[in-house]
Amino acid sequence: MKPSLVYSLLLLFFLPAPSNRLVASVKIRPSQEDALLALKSAYSGFAGSTSWAKGADCSKWAGVTCGPVGNVLRLSLNSSGIKTPVAGIHSSLSGLSHLQTLNLANNALLGPLTTTLSKLTRLQHLDLSSNLFNKNPNYIWGLTQLTYLDISKTLVSGPLSPSIGALTNLEVLNVSNTYLAGAIPDEFSSLVKLRFAHFDKCFFTDLPAMFPEFDSSASNLTFSASVNLLADMPITFPASGSGVASMDLAGNRIASLPTEIVLMSDLTSLNLAGNGIVGQMSDYDWPILENIVGLFFGRNLLEGKVPVSISTLTKLKYFHFGANALKGSLPEELGNLSELLSLDLSSNADLGGYFPVSINDLPNLTRLVLSGDSFTGPLPQPFLGAVSSFVLDVRNNSFSGSPIIQGVCPADYPTRLKVELNCLDVLPDCETTQAQCS
């Protein structure tokens, strides 16, 4: 071995370890050990608590990870069966001032999120989800080093503070399934590193007026605020582009499709199902969504024909517009959607005519749902591939002719091939329930 290489290896060996490096065999610093033992007493009987013994190496303490000089850097007590008669955020936690990760998810901790949290200023990862914490989580917003925050499935309530804008390092935010209410504050636009933001199943009434202007080199945002109280709202996106890859606003009260959303060229998935949106399909410039993979608009009040321009969305895999008020026939050009996996246009009573033969040739189609429409002519004959994985539901139309689909009798796959209540031929070896046909 060359001398220079030996020297380099020895130098690496004797260099001091970074202060935040995680190591196993080290004693916990006395003051932090005392804090953990106080926590053990408060959270009596949780899984792994028997391993918490004074003087033991850090590696012996279940859920505890230390740095090279004995500072506790991670405390992971998720799903530990903690049952405590005292408030969930115990004051002894403030003695763990070097803590970078705190995971107390999926326990039965209760009470407000106290000032103890505000003292853990080095925290980068905080998961308090699936507990019984209540009141407003205001003491979290001063933890400016956070990159991950999850307080979902708790009882926290009240408005979301504008101070959330101080969490400029945040990459993941989840406040879903809580009692937070009111407007998502405009300071949300300061969270320029955010990659996942989940506000689902709360009581929010307004989106932020401005979305963050993301670094163009970073990945895009997945944003969801489904099942809230959102109504029509103005939204502004940065001039450089929205930076939002996925938006889920399903199950709200949005009556008109915001033009700004349909101009978001970065979008790959847009879910506005179950809002009651009114208007004509032709009112929107669909080709702008050149990167779109999924359009989910079921259970709205959209009217008119499916525009030919939809066929230009060549990356589209999911086109779901069931339970609207669409009418007329489908354009043959939909056969250009070679990536399409799932087409759902069910429960549009005035949508019908002959089903386009071109759709039969889509090579990737595995789900076709047209139940409750007014299609006529022979049954669709899509390329079934593995019939055991294909879903075809064309019940309650006016299809006629043979019930056989690509050589397969639907009765042989009753949960996947549903053709009842049409005007199909009755064959001895392939019978189906027929509609009242003239």
Side-chain angles (χ1 to χ4, degrees):
M1 186 178 289
K2 294 181 179 180
S4 58
L5 180 57
V6 174
Y7 175 79
S8 299
L9 291 174
L10 289 172
L11 182 61
L12 286 172
F13 182 80
F14 286 107
L15 280 174
S19 61
N20 64 345
R21 193 180 72 183
L22 306 179
V23 295
S25 298
V26 65
K27 300 289 186 184
I28 301 174
R29 286 201 164 193
S31 62
Q32 296 176 46
E33 184 181 63
D34 290 342
L36 288 172
L37 290 173
L39 191 66
K40 174 182 177 179
S41 179
Y43 292 171
S44 59
F46 63 86
S49 60
T50 56
S51 68
W52 287 24
K54 192 172 184 66
D57 280 354
C58 180
S59 61
K60 305 296 184 182
W61 292 59
V64 179
T65 308
C66 298
V69 294
N71 289 319
V72 177
L73 302 183
R74 294 180 181 174
L75 181 59
S76 300
L77 298 179
N78 51 301
S79 304
S80 295
I82 298 174
K83 298 176 182 178
T84 172
V86 299
I89 301 297
H90 194 262
S91 58
S92 60
L93 280 169
S94 62
L96 305 177
S97 58
H98 291 266
L99 208 58
Q100 297 174 4
T101 294
L102 176 60
N103 188 346
L104 299 175
N106 196 28
N107 285 290
L109 297 170
L110 50 84
L113 300 177
T114 62
T115 55
T116 297
L117 275 178
S118 64
K119 299 175 183 178
L120 303 178
T121 56
R122 290 183 170 89
L123 272 183
Q124 299 173 18
H125 182 114
L126 178 60
D127 190 344
L128 303 175
S129 62
S130 299
N131 279 289
L132 300 174
F133 296 121
N134 57 28
K135 298 187 178 179
N136 199 286
N138 284 336
Y139 291 113
I140 290 176
W141 313 131
L143 304 177
T144 58
Q145 299 304 308
L146 282 177
T147 61
Y148 181 102
L149 174 59
D150 189 348
I151 55 173
S152 65
K153 299 180 181 178
T154 63
L155 304 179
V156 296
S157 60
L160 195 59
S161 171
S163 298
I164 193 175
L167 304 185
T168 55
N169 291 301
L170 207 58
E171 298 176 10
V172 177
L173 171 64
N174 191 351
V175 301
S176 298
N177 288 273
T178 65
Y179 290 87
L180 291 170
I184 298 174
D186 293 345
E187 285 76 7
F188 175 80
S189 64
S190 300
L191 309 184
V192 295
K193 295 183 180 180
L194 205 58
R195 297 297 164 256
F196 299 92
H198 300 288
F199 296 86
D200 309 281
K201 297 182 179 178
C202 297
F203 295 88
F204 292 113
T205 56
D206 296 281
L207 292 178
M210 172 70 82
F211 269 59
E213 184 164 7
F214 299 105
D215 181 346
S216 60
S217 66
S219 58
N220 292 328
L221 172 67
T222 294
F223 180 92
S224 60
S226 62
V227 193
N228 277 278
L229 303 174
L230 299 173
D232 298 335
M233 76 294 287
I235 307 173
T236 304
F237 296 101
S240 59
S242 74
V244 182
S246 175
M247 178 166 281
D248 183 352
L249 300 177
N252 281 286
R253 302 175 179 179
I254 302 170
S256 61
L257 179 59
T259 304
E260 293 85 352
I261 289 180
V262 187
L263 296 177
M264 293 163 57
S265 59
D266 296 329
L267 270 180
T268 60
S269 179
L270 177 59
N271 188 350
L272 283 163
N275 271 285
I277 296 173
V278 299
Q280 298 285 323
M281 283 282 289
S282 58
D283 289 345
Y284 303 101
D285 194 1
W286 300 103
I288 289 179
L289 300 175
E290 58 186 3
N291 293 304
I292 203 72
V293 172
L295 285 173
F296 305 93
F297 278 74
R299 306 187 312 284
N300 282 293
L301 299 171
L302 289 168
E303 300 179 278
K305 292 185 176 183
V306 175
V308 174
S309 60
I310 292 292
S311 65
T312 65
L313 305 177
T314 56
K315 296 180 182 180
L316 195 62
K317 294 184 178 181
Y318 304 92
F319 187 64
H320 291 189
F321 279 74
N324 277 279
L326 304 181
K327 63 181 181 180
S329 58
L330 294 179
E332 282 282 349
E333 288 84 354
L334 292 184
N336 296 332
L337 301 175
S338 59
E339 297 296 317
L340 199 64
L341 296 173
S342 178
L343 175 62
D344 186 344
L345 297 170
S346 59
S347 300
N348 285 282
D350 295 324
L351 181 67
Y354 267 61
F355 187 74
V357 175
S358 61
I359 294 179
N360 290 335
D361 297 327
L362 292 175
N364 296 302
L365 193 65
T366 58
R367 184 175 181 271
L368 176 60
V369 183
L370 306 172
S371 56
D373 295 333
S374 298
F375 287 100
T376 60
L379 280 176
Q381 297 288 324
F383 177 71
L384 293 179
V387 67
S388 60
S389 63
F390 197 96
V391 173
L392 174 70
D393 188 350
V394 295
R395 291 173 294 174
N396 197 19
N397 279 273
S398 296
F399 287 112
S400 59
S402 172
I404 302 298
I405 302 171
Q406 299 287 28
V408 174
C409 176
D412 294 337
Y413 296 90
T415 62
R416 293 188 173 276
L417 304 180
K418 301 178 181 181
V419 301
E420 297 86 358
L421 300 177
N422 280 283
C423 302
L424 303 171
D425 297 341
V426 179
L427 300 181
D429 297 326
C430 188
E431 296 184 5
T432 63
T433 303
Q434 298 299 305
Q436 295 290 329
C437 301
S438 57

